[in-house]
Amino acid sequence: MGRRRAPELYRAPFPLYALRVEPSTGLLITAGGGGASKTGIKNGVHFLQLEQIGGALSASLLHSHDTETRATMNLALAGSILAAGQDASCQLLQFRPQEQETCDKQDNEGSQEQGPRQRKGTGATAETQETGASIQREGVELNVENLQSVQTDFGSDPLQKTVCFNHDNTLLATGGTDGFVRVWQVPSLEKVLEFKAHDGEIEDLTLGPDDKMVTAGWDFKACVWQRDQLVTGLRWDENLPPLPDTPYRYQACRFGWVPDQPAGLRLFTVQIPHKRLRRPPPCYLTAWDGHNFLPLRTQPCGNEVISCLSVSESGTFLGLGTVTGSVAIYVSFSLQRLYYLREAHGIVVTDVAFMPEQGRGRELLGAHEAALFSVAVDSRCRLHLLPIRRSVPVWLLLLLCAGLIILAILLLQSAFPGFL
């Protein structure tokens, strides 16, 4: 019997590093590339339309946006605006889906990239502009426009490693190899704040609904900030038994809501061994109170080094990718694993993202409780589905218990007459 495989949703013509899902339209946005090296590997952002066909989720290419010599390494999404980390800069893109009554068909105009399937019976119009190409499918056109761009990192080998919008999408925070957090107005990208957060690279950052910021750095620290003022440092291991003599660093951090609690907020972090050992120690997953930042629960999450983390829209599930290509889904309350696929990609998983549970996402989920997308350097986007968990109603459990008690009494009465 062969090993279980996750469905391959599509394959890009370049390595993939980042993805996001737009909830209202069901657009899957992936990005990557080969960088500035002259290898012939292109750089771009692909917009894919998700749809249910024959009970299965599929994706078709709606638009391919050329990013010239810059590969996109990280993404953040705010409505119709994308923030794309490209080398040491952040590029804002705006996309607008438009319904068209007719689609002009132009044949034999330039070469077309190989990518995901094309919808049957439709033509494609490619239109090269400064802002990229425009591809139309079945009367739908997606226009993508380059907005502002700004350099966000100034290290000796500058690279923007993470980007995040705030809760109302008016500000954008970036972090990179120089250890500075920089906050920018949207969409003008005027700098409003800059401060040194870590000695060394910033690996990840996230913004909460009250604009508190959490940063994770290569200096083994994770810090909570209110603007440029340090609120507290996180200590994930202070209530744990002694760990192996191996330094750990924070790899990822994400805020998430508490299901069925409107004011409930959690912070989730991943801790990985700083050094690669022959017999690797486990990585750890920690849930924190999102208001006072005290650790609530910590669980080991395997010996494969975690590369990325995602939290579902409702805060119910956590998605993890590893450097060896494996993908896992955990339940956020107990940090117990519900799904695991070893070496789904066979190479480092660069990003994971859940299907939104509101908007068109609920329709696309179908008979599944959650859908997690993963991308990797192997150019593939894979789909991981979590079936709806069947639960027994409380009233039925009580009825069964009462029935068992009555049955036990009857058996005792028949075995020992006069028992009652």
Side-chain angles (χ1 to χ4, degrees):
M1 187 173 179
R3 190 175 65 177
R4 182 179 60 162
R5 302 289 295 177
E8 182 179 307
L9 202 60
Y10 93 109
R11 188 183 303 185
F14 45 72
L16 293 173
Y17 296 109
L19 82 159
R20 289 293 180 269
V21 186
E22 204 285 316
S24 62
T25 60
L27 282 178
L28 177 63
I29 305 166
T30 63
S37 58
K38 297 180 180 179
T39 59
I41 301 176
K42 296 185 177 182
N43 302 287
V45 179
H46 279 187
F47 296 79
L48 298 110
Q49 185 66 62
L50 296 172
E51 52 193 347
Q52 284 277 355
I53 297 179
L57 195 64
S58 65
S60 54
L61 182 63
L62 190 62
H63 180 92
S64 177
H65 181 77
D66 184 16
T67 57
E68 300 176 351
T69 60
R70 298 169 299 171
T72 298
M73 305 299 293
N74 42 81
L75 284 175
L77 177 64
S80 64
I81 294 181
L82 269 177
Q86 298 172 352
D87 299 330
S89 299
C90 183
Q91 172 71 60
L92 291 188
L93 303 172
Q94 187 167 36
F95 58 94
R96 296 188 181 91
Q98 295 180 353
E99 294 292 334
Q100 301 290 329
E101 292 184 0
T102 61
C103 283
D104 295 331
K105 297 182 180 181
Q106 297 181 1
D107 298 325
N108 303 322
E109 289 192 5
S111 60
Q112 294 184 349
E113 297 179 10
Q114 293 180 355
R117 66 172 184 86
Q118 308 293 333
R119 299 184 187 176
K120 295 180 180 179
T122 62
T125 302
E127 186 178 310
T128 304
Q129 303 172 342
E130 280 187 359
T131 58
S134 178
I135 295 179
Q136 301 175 18
R137 298 285 184 270
E138 290 184 355
V140 178
E141 179 184 17
L142 192 70
N143 294 322
V144 180
E145 177 186 2
N146 283 331
L147 301 179
Q148 301 295 324
S149 178
V150 66
Q151 184 172 350
T152 60
D153 193 78
F154 299 88
S156 57
D157 188 14
L159 177 67
Q160 177 183 300
K161 299 193 70 174
T162 180
V163 59
C164 182
F165 285 97
N166 71 338
H167 70 284
D168 60 3
N169 301 330
T170 58
L171 297 174
L172 180 73
T174 60
T177 59
D178 64 0
F180 278 82
V181 168
R182 296 176 176 90
V183 181
W184 316 83
Q185 284 186 341
V186 178
S188 65
L189 288 188
E190 293 182 10
K191 185 165 60 178
V192 297
L193 187 64
E194 177 181 16
F195 63 93
K196 182 76 169 178
H198 292 275
D199 294 325
E201 299 182 11
I202 294 176
E203 185 65 33
D204 201 8
L205 62 81
T206 184
L207 286 162
D210 57 355
D211 280 346
K212 280 193 174 70
M213 180 191 303
V214 178
T215 59
W218 276 54
D219 55 1
F220 310 104
K221 297 178 182 178
C223 303
V224 183
W225 307 86
Q226 186 76 60
R227 291 185 59 82
D228 58 351
Q229 298 300 308
L230 179 63
V231 176
T232 186
L234 301 183
R235 293 287 303 275
W236 70 276
D237 57 349
E238 62 182 357
N239 296 324
L240 296 180
L243 297 172
D245 189 19
T246 302
Y248 279 77
R249 65 175 176 87
Y250 293 88
Q251 171 67 13
C253 52
R254 290 289 183 274
F255 280 103
W257 296 108
V258 179
D260 303 322
Q261 294 184 26
L265 185 66
R266 293 287 182 267
L267 172 72
F268 301 96
T269 61
V270 168
Q271 296 79 234
I272 66 172
H274 182 61
K275 295 181 180 180
R276 303 284 179 88
L277 302 177
R278 193 169 188 178
R279 298 183 64 182
C283 298
Y284 288 90
L285 186 59
T286 301
W288 310 74
D289 187 296
H291 299 291
N292 58 28
F293 297 99
L294 295 176
L296 302 175
R297 185 184 298 269
T298 296
Q299 291 286 350
C301 51
N303 297 87
E304 297 174 88
V305 177
I306 305 300
S307 57
C308 50
L309 165 69
S310 179
V311 182
S312 66
E313 187 178 45
S314 65
T316 306
F317 302 110
L318 308 176
L320 296 178
T322 75
V323 298
T324 50
S326 302
V327 175
I329 299 175
Y330 285 73
V331 67
S332 62
F333 173 74
S334 62
L335 303 185
Q336 296 301 306
R337 192 170 71 187
L338 298 177
Y339 171 97
Y340 173 74
L341 186 58
R342 183 176 178 84
E343 296 181 2
H345 289 273
I347 197 170
V348 58
V349 177
T350 48
D351 204 0
V352 290
F354 282 96
M355 174 81 77
E357 295 152 20
Q358 304 296 323
R360 193 160 177 261
R362 184 65 262 170
E363 169 196 340
L364 293 170
L365 280 172
H368 298 90
E369 192 169 5
L372 181 70
F373 303 99
S374 63
V375 294
V377 183
D378 61 3
S379 306
R380 292 171 171 85
C381 176
R382 294 194 180 274
L383 174 65
H384 310 269
L385 295 170
L386 191 65
I388 293 176
R389 292 169 292 170
R390 305 297 178 186
S391 59
V392 180
V394 176
W395 64 266
L396 183 57
L397 286 175
L398 295 174
L399 186 62
L400 289 173
C401 290
L404 289 173
I405 292 172
I406 294 172
L407 180 61
I409 293 173
L410 292 175
L411 289 174
L412 288 172
Q413 181 67 27
S414 63
F416 306 99
F419 175 73
L420 294 177

